[in-house]
Amino acid sequence: DYLAMQYGEEKFHELGIKYTDSLMLNRPVGCGNCENTGYAGRIGLFELLVGSAPMKRLIMKSSLMEELRAQAVSDGMTTLKQDGIYKVFNGDCDFKQVNAVCIL
């Protein structure tokens, strides 16, 4: 329930993941190819701010960061944290790595 809350419960259902007590998160498993780290490479977490007309107006008015963020989310932006949580459930990375770069 914590990750669903952090993702945004109103948008979490869009991931198509049923959050139940039996839901298991992936964790890294080491092997010879990754020197027992569980990571064979890196995967990025991304957030893209689109310059919509309302966003441009807010920027021109030197609006507060909270207003810019609210507009970005309203415009449909997936936040860095949301991208990380999605990738945890997709098995692309683990919660520890996402937590290292995103304040959860």
Side-chain angles (χ1 to χ4, degrees):
D1 195 38
Y2 177 74
L3 288 178
M5 182 185 71
Q6 288 296 309
Y7 190 89
E9 293 184 41
E10 66 284 349
K11 291 187 77 180
F12 186 77
H13 74 279
E14 295 173 11
L15 294 178
I17 298 168
K18 300 287 185 196
Y19 204 100
T20 65
D21 290 338
S22 62
L23 180 64
M24 300 292 281
L25 297 179
N26 294 312
R27 68 171 46 174
V29 177
C31 66
N33 292 331
C34 68
E35 298 181 15
N36 291 316
T37 63
Y39 300 100
R42 297 178 144 245
I43 188 162
L45 304 182
F46 302 99
E47 164 177 286
L48 176 65
L49 176 65
V50 176
S52 66
M55 179 61 74
K56 290 176 184 177
R57 282 192 291 278
L58 288 173
I59 292 170
M60 292 296 292
K61 293 191 309 184
S62 299
S63 298
L64 296 173
M65 182 59 73
E66 293 81 15
E67 293 173 287
L68 296 172
R69 180 177 175 78
Q71 182 62 51
V73 170
S74 174
D75 288 343
M77 180 179 85
T78 299
T79 67
L80 192 68
K81 183 190 321 184
Q82 288 172 327
D83 189 46
I85 291 170
Y86 167 75
K87 288 176 178 168
V88 166
F89 283 109
N90 202 39
D92 296 325
C93 60
D94 70 357
F95 179 70
K96 181 180 176 184
Q97 295 300 311
V98 172
N99 198 30
V101 296
C102 298
I103 299 170
L104 297 180

